[in-house]
Amino acid sequence: MSYLFPTYARWDVTIKEAKGSWVTDVNENKYLDFISGIAVCNLGHANEEVTKAVQEQLTKYWHMSNLFHQPIQEEVAKLLVEASDGDAVFFCNSGAEANEAAIKLARKHTGKTKIVTFLQSFHGRTFATMSATGQEKIQQGFGPMLETFQYLPYNDLAALDKLESDVAAIMLEVVQGEGGVVPAEKEFIQKVSETCEKIGALLIIDEVQTGVGRTGKPFGYQYYGIKPDIITSAKGLGSGLPVGAMIGQKSLIETFQAGSHGSTFGGNPIAMAAAKVTLDKIFDEKFLIEVEEKSNYLVGKLNSLVGKHPLVNDVRGKGLLVGIECKEQVSEIINQLRENKLLVLPAGSNVIRLLPPLTVSYEEIDIAVKTLEDVFSTVDYPVEAH
């Protein structure tokens, strides 16, 4: 009997220890981890510099109310501001909380209530962020969603023309991770930005999965030549410790004054110690260039599988957020990959999602691709007639 609610479809794997790109279970099986805690352990598991920083903070103090000044919060906020187009940061504990803060800020600042998001998006599982998510399967069973959200087709330019001045914000991911690893087209993102200016709406970019170097830049929106009003971040911020952040422009600071929002554990000094080292390392230009180089290497290897295996339809993504679209459901394939000691995720029903640590080696990429190729070769999928 478990004393936990069965809210997760857990695999029959119990991890004992983890280091770098590898995890070991209680039966001494060693797995190559291309999940990274779902884009969380961007520096790999148990990074030594992060560990040292956390241990040092543990000897000072563990928690202090946000009624007190905490210099380490300012230090981490400065790193986020300098690496983005924002001017101020609100700290919380997760991506859903960061998106909640963004929704509240947008509504309060504009005085409007409608938020536009996109079909197949994912923004969290709290009530507001579940309502923002454009997937019925996330919303089923909870009754009516908040009525102030409108969903448009992703990458659809014409749909944006229908929006009017009653919109408080447009909120989107530049790569829909949970929705199938679907990158936004540049023309689409730029039109979203132009539409926000035209109708007086704020632009919110959800960087919970794409941020903190995952795409090869500090934030994924930086490929698109836009300047968001609000950026949300979490996952990779703390190398496994719970950290979320909402980054906003200077014009929004007056809207979020004392009493307008808060979080008991937001900006916790232990989490901030982890975040400071994480961001110092990942926001280094040389580190990000290496991420792009590894991405090109991985995608190049994967693209070679498209012609070899009739099962594989497409390879897409940005940086080290990569999706392999297959011509059938991938749940059993993912099970087989796990049996062959490679850990990967689904993204929708027919996409395999790869999220290796940003510190992954070329040798580890080769091992992963060889495992994928071996497993694909065992899948009996008919060759299409030409």
Side-chain angles (χ1 to χ4, degrees):
M1 172 186 169
S2 173
Y3 296 98
L4 301 171
F5 273 106
T7 50
Y8 305 100
R10 297 184 194 273
W11 297 337
D12 188 19
V13 178
T14 302
I15 300 302
K16 180 180 72 172
E17 59 187 15
K19 183 68 177 175
S21 301
W22 298 86
V23 300
T24 305
D25 71 13
V26 293
N27 297 313
E28 301 301 330
N29 295 305
K30 194 173 182 181
Y31 301 83
L32 179 56
D33 184 5
F34 268 44
I35 297 175
S36 304
I38 314 183
V40 167
C41 301
N42 285 1
L43 292 176
H45 294 283
N47 177 271
E48 290 179 3
E49 292 178 59
V50 175
T51 300
K52 181 181 176 183
V54 169
Q55 288 173 337
E56 288 178 357
Q57 184 60 47
L58 281 167
T59 66
K60 297 175 183 177
Y61 65 97
W62 298 6
H63 176 76
M64 188 65 64
S65 165
N66 279 312
L67 294 171
F68 295 86
H69 292 286
Q70 299 184 67
I72 195 168
Q73 291 183 351
E74 292 286 353
E75 293 168 11
V76 177
K78 185 172 185 281
L79 290 170
L80 289 168
V81 164
E82 290 179 343
S84 71
D85 286 282
D87 297 292
V89 178
F90 172 82
F91 285 117
C92 50
N93 308 286
S94 68
E97 287 181 48
N99 285 335
E100 284 271 351
I103 290 165
K104 285 181 67 174
L105 177 55
R107 288 177 55 144
K108 191 169 190 286
H109 185 77
T110 63
K112 297 181 280 188
T113 59
K114 182 187 287 186
I115 310 283
V116 172
T117 63
F118 294 88
L119 296 172
Q120 298 307 118
S121 61
F122 183 83
H123 298 292
R125 293 181 183 272
T126 63
F127 215 87
T129 58
M130 175 175 63
S131 297
T133 294
Q135 299 189 51
E136 286 187 12
K137 67 180 183 181
I138 303 297
Q139 303 171 346
Q140 286 174 353
F142 296 100
M145 294 294 102
L146 299 180
E147 296 177 356
T148 53
F149 290 92
Q150 177 183 353
Y151 316 110
L152 298 182
Y154 194 64
N155 278 329
D156 187 326
L157 294 172
L160 298 169
D161 292 330
K162 302 173 185 177
L163 297 179
E164 299 180 354
S165 60
D166 61 340
V167 176
I170 300 178
M171 181 177 187
L172 78 160
E173 307 148 277
V174 293
V175 181
Q176 289 191 329
E178 303 291 332
V181 191
V182 181
E185 296 167 3
K186 189 166 187 177
E187 186 181 6
F188 171 70
I189 292 291
Q190 290 180 340
K191 184 163 183 180
V192 168
S193 180
E194 292 165 5
T195 301
C196 285
E197 288 190 31
K198 178 182 175 182
I199 64 176
L202 299 183
L203 175 56
I204 304 170
I205 302 294
D206 178 341
E207 294 268 8
V208 171
Q209 188 162 165
T210 52
V212 195
R214 177 55 56 180
T215 66
K217 290 190 181 294
F219 296 97
Y221 80 83
Q222 291 165 330
Y223 284 99
Y224 294 91
I226 60 168
K227 185 177 181 180
D229 297 287
I230 300 172
I231 306 147
T232 58
S233 183
K235 289 192 181 292
L237 271 177
S239 290
L241 275 76
V243 189
M246 180 196 70
I247 310 163
Q249 288 192 20
K250 187 179 296 183
S251 58
L252 304 174
I253 292 174
E254 282 297 316
T255 304
F256 250 25
Q257 292 294 307
S260 57
H261 197 46
S263 170
T264 296
F265 294 108
N268 173 273
I270 306 300
M272 291 290 98
K276 185 175 186 300
V277 175
T278 300
L279 298 181
D280 272 331
K281 292 182 72 65
I282 290 177
F283 287 168
D284 178 77
E285 184 178 359
K286 184 180 177 182
F287 184 95
L288 291 170
I289 289 170
E290 290 177 356
V291 172
E292 289 197 81
E293 290 172 348
K294 290 171 186 175
S295 169
N296 292 335
Y297 184 80
L298 172 60
V299 171
K301 290 269 186 179
L302 293 174
N303 276 328
S304 70
L305 303 182
V306 176
K308 286 182 183 178
H309 298 281
L311 171 73
V312 182
N313 193 49
D314 189 24
V315 174
R316 58 178 181 255
K318 271 195 184 303
L320 291 175
L321 167 53
V322 180
I324 305 170
E325 182 184 289
C326 298
K327 296 173 184 175
E328 64 177 48
Q329 293 192 357
V330 297
S331 56
E332 185 51 40
I333 296 170
I334 288 173
N335 289 340
Q336 290 181 43
L337 289 167
R338 187 165 65 252
E339 289 173 6
N340 283 268
K341 307 302 183 286
L342 175 64
L343 302 178
V344 297
L345 285 173
S349 62
N350 69 325
V351 176
I352 297 169
R353 182 172 24 156
L354 308 181
L355 293 163
L358 306 185
T359 52
V360 66
S361 70
Y362 289 96
E363 180 184 5
E364 289 163 346
I365 291 173
D366 288 342
I367 293 169
V369 174
K370 177 67 163 59
T371 306
L372 285 160
E373 188 168 8
D374 289 346
V375 169
F376 287 157
S377 297
T378 68
V379 178
D380 185 18
Y381 191 86
V383 178
E384 294 179 2
H386 294 283

